[in-house]
Amino acid sequence: MSSSVLYDLPGPRARVRNRLLGALTLVVVAGIIGFVVWRFIDTGQFSATKWNVFTYTAIWVRFGEATLATLAAFAAAAVGALVLGFVLAIGRLSDHAWVRIPVGWIVEILRAVPVLVFMLLLYYGLPVIGIRLSPYWAVVIALIAYNGSVLSEVIRAGVESLPRGQSEAGYALGLRKSNVMRLILLPQAIRAMLPVIIAQLVVTLKDTALGFIITYPELLYFARQLGSNGEYGSPLIPAAMIASVIYVAMCLALSYAAHRVEIGLRRSPSAARVAGAEPPGQTGTDTELIVAQRGAGKNDPGSAA
């Protein structure tokens, strides 16, 4: 029986069974979608009364303003999360325990608290001690705190996944740890972890929708406000559909931009060679090779001449 490296290839019966399961899954999914669409039609969600409100220009202007509010919160949160992620990652990689341990606790606490709880604490909790934040800043700070802690672990994992010879070669050249981190380790880690970083930024974009709970006028807040308006026939489902399409479009645009950035990084001259590759015949780290060469030079009788 043929087999691949990781698993046995399915035989004739297994292939037939997989095809039947795939076809059955498609039928079930199509049935569920059909049932939902039928219920929408049966309850009048696609009637002209529900959709007439979207013929007004003012409604689309409000959708545009809500989309811009979503993007404004996302842009500030994305930049802040990246900055905080780098700071926390560098702190967790510190050689000093008095820096590494407290930063590690901060990261674990920020990752453990849900984003919505952060927003509620910032918007409703801080006024108790005399500090008031606008809904915008409550959303932004909460997103920065949570996503920054997650990104710090992503960046730290990227740095620690690099071959040890990368940092040792930098130290052998006389570089300090800050320069080794800035010039050698972080660029390679970012390039390797870019897909994960972008995926977390997409999560950040979607989490801005939680701002409607603290009355931040983002996209979901306006869709809910419009959908509960009895004057327009309470078009909740149509408004949610349009908001969903806008969210999907923004996420796809962000993913496409990240894809283009990733392609550009791969084509850059600095990425032409694999970071972890060792020269042919080298079986140890760069530092070990240098020490071995120096020892050979001292033991060579001809070197004393």
Side-chain angles (χ1 to χ4, degrees):
M1 181 176 60
S2 300
S3 63
S4 66
V5 178
L6 299 178
Y7 65 96
D8 292 333
L9 295 175
R13 291 184 179 180
R15 287 197 295 268
V16 172
R17 183 175 63 250
N18 292 340
R19 290 170 183 171
L20 290 176
L21 290 175
L24 180 61
T25 302
L26 289 176
V27 170
V28 172
V29 172
I32 294 174
I33 294 175
F35 176 76
V36 172
V37 172
W38 174 76
R39 288 299 301 165
F40 282 166
I41 296 174
D42 188 55
T43 56
Q45 299 300 325
F46 294 112
S47 63
T49 304
K50 296 285 187 182
W51 290 86
N52 183 57
V53 64
F54 301 104
T55 61
Y56 298 110
T57 306
I59 296 299
W60 290 106
V61 171
R62 293 289 303 278
F63 265 113
E65 292 174 350
T67 302
L68 290 177
T70 297
L71 292 175
F74 163 70
V79 174
L82 287 172
V83 173
L84 180 62
F86 277 108
V87 172
L88 293 178
I90 293 173
R92 293 213 66 181
L93 293 169
S94 175
D95 293 332
H96 304 287
W98 61 272
V99 175
R100 184 178 62 256
I101 294 176
V103 171
W105 278 104
I106 292 173
V107 170
E108 294 302 325
I109 292 173
L110 293 180
R111 285 199 307 164
V113 180
V115 181
L116 182 57
V117 174
F118 266 127
M119 293 182 185
L120 294 176
L121 287 175
L122 292 172
Y123 189 68
Y124 295 111
L126 290 182
V128 176
I129 59 176
I131 301 176
R132 295 186 179 274
L133 292 177
S134 65
Y136 171 80
W137 284 111
V139 170
V140 170
I141 294 175
L143 291 175
I144 289 175
Y146 176 76
N147 293 283
S149 62
V150 174
L151 288 174
S152 70
E153 289 296 276
V154 171
I155 297 170
R156 181 179 69 88
V159 171
E160 292 184 343
S161 67
L162 296 174
R164 189 177 59 179
Q166 295 290 316
S167 57
E168 291 183 348
Y171 294 137
L173 294 174
L175 296 177
R176 295 178 178 271
K177 183 176 181 179
S178 59
N179 290 328
V180 170
M181 187 72 66
R182 179 174 59 89
L183 299 175
I184 299 176
L185 300 182
L186 283 179
Q188 296 182 66
I190 293 172
R191 186 180 297 112
M193 306 304 291
L194 185 60
V196 183
I197 294 173
I198 297 304
Q200 190 61 38
L201 292 180
V202 171
V203 173
T204 305
L205 175 59
K206 293 188 293 184
D207 282 349
T208 57
L210 297 173
F212 88 95
I213 296 178
I214 59 173
T215 68
Y216 179 61
E218 45 78 49
L219 187 57
L220 182 59
Y221 178 83
F222 174 68
R224 183 174 179 272
Q225 189 179 45
L226 178 63
S228 60
N229 194 326
E231 182 180 354
Y232 300 113
S234 300
L236 180 60
I237 299 300
M241 288 181 178
I242 292 177
S244 300
V245 170
I246 296 175
Y247 274 118
V248 170
M250 290 190 295
C251 291
L252 289 178
L254 179 60
S255 299
Y256 177 75
H259 177 67
R260 299 304 304 176
V261 171
E262 186 176 0
I263 291 177
L265 289 176
R266 288 178 179 177
R267 292 177 178 176
S268 63
S270 59
R273 298 178 62 184
V274 178
E278 293 182 345
Q282 181 175 336
T283 58
T285 63
D286 295 337
T287 302
E288 293 171 347
L289 181 61
I290 292 173
V291 172
Q293 289 176 344
R294 289 178 177 175
K298 291 179 180 179
N299 296 329
D300 186 4
S303 61

